[in-house]
Each structure stands twice: as structure tokens, then as C-alpha cells.
Amino acid sequence: MDHHGTPWSAHASHGQPREPDTMVEYEWQRVARAISADIESGRIPPGAALPSIIRLAEQYGVADHTIRRALRELREQGRIETLPHKGSYVRDQQ
């Protein structure tokens, strides 16, 4: 969003507002979707630890606060659990 609250499309030209009917996907949503897909495919199995926030930020090319927001979404969906000072782990989906 710009400072006026207007959403921007990731595919829009720099400085151009999105078209009104264009679906906006924020970076944290893209990251959450990618991690979720890895969980669904079994690439990240139940019980496995996710990489650190710093490592995930490097992997996805985003800021650490973006990773934190994506992980919050995955926790809210019941896909992962985060243990203080331990990290985030994939929950058993059964």
C-alpha cells in the first residue's frame, strides 16, 4: 500500500497503482502460500523444523518482518506451531 492506503500490484509498473479488478497478493501471502505448498507436497514433513527467519528471508528475498507475518498466517491456519526460542515446526495435518 502507498501512504494513501492504495494497494499496489506486485506486477504493476513502479509507481503505478493497480487496476481496480486486479487481485492484490502481498509478499507475506506469497511466502505463506509457498511454504504451505511445500508442506502439502511433503517436501517439509510433519514435525520438521522450518529454517530460521533469517534463512527464510534470504531464501524468499524478503524482509524478516514479511517472514514473521507469513509464519503468523501459517500458525493461524494450524499448519505450523512456533515454540519460543526453539523455532517453527510443521504440525501433523491429520
Side-chain angles (χ1 to χ4, degrees):
M1 287 195 175
D2 68 6
H3 64 282
H4 298 291
T6 304
W8 296 86
S9 170
H11 302 293
S13 299
H14 182 71
Q16 298 297 316
R18 69 172 178 88
E19 294 297 318
D21 60 344
T22 302
M23 177 83 164
V24 174
E25 182 177 54
Y26 295 99
E27 288 295 315
W28 66 265
Q29 291 171 313
R30 178 182 63 84
V31 171
R33 189 170 36 82
I35 294 171
S36 187
D38 284 345
I39 293 169
E40 282 289 320
S41 72
R43 184 169 175 217
I44 307 174
L50 295 178
S52 70
I53 289 173
I54 293 170
R55 190 143 310 190
L56 287 169
E58 291 171 354
Q59 178 179 340
Y60 290 101
V62 297
D64 63 342
H65 64 87
T66 301
I67 297 299
R68 291 178 202 283
R69 178 61 183 93
L71 295 180
R72 185 173 84 200
E73 177 68 17
L74 293 170
R75 275 193 304 276
E76 290 172 359
Q77 293 175 3
R79 313 279 300 161
I80 66 168
E81 63 181 320
T82 300
L83 304 174
H85 308 290
K86 300 279 186 190
S88 295
Y89 297 84
V90 176
R91 295 184 67 190
D92 189 350
Q93 303 301 307
Q94 296 179 7

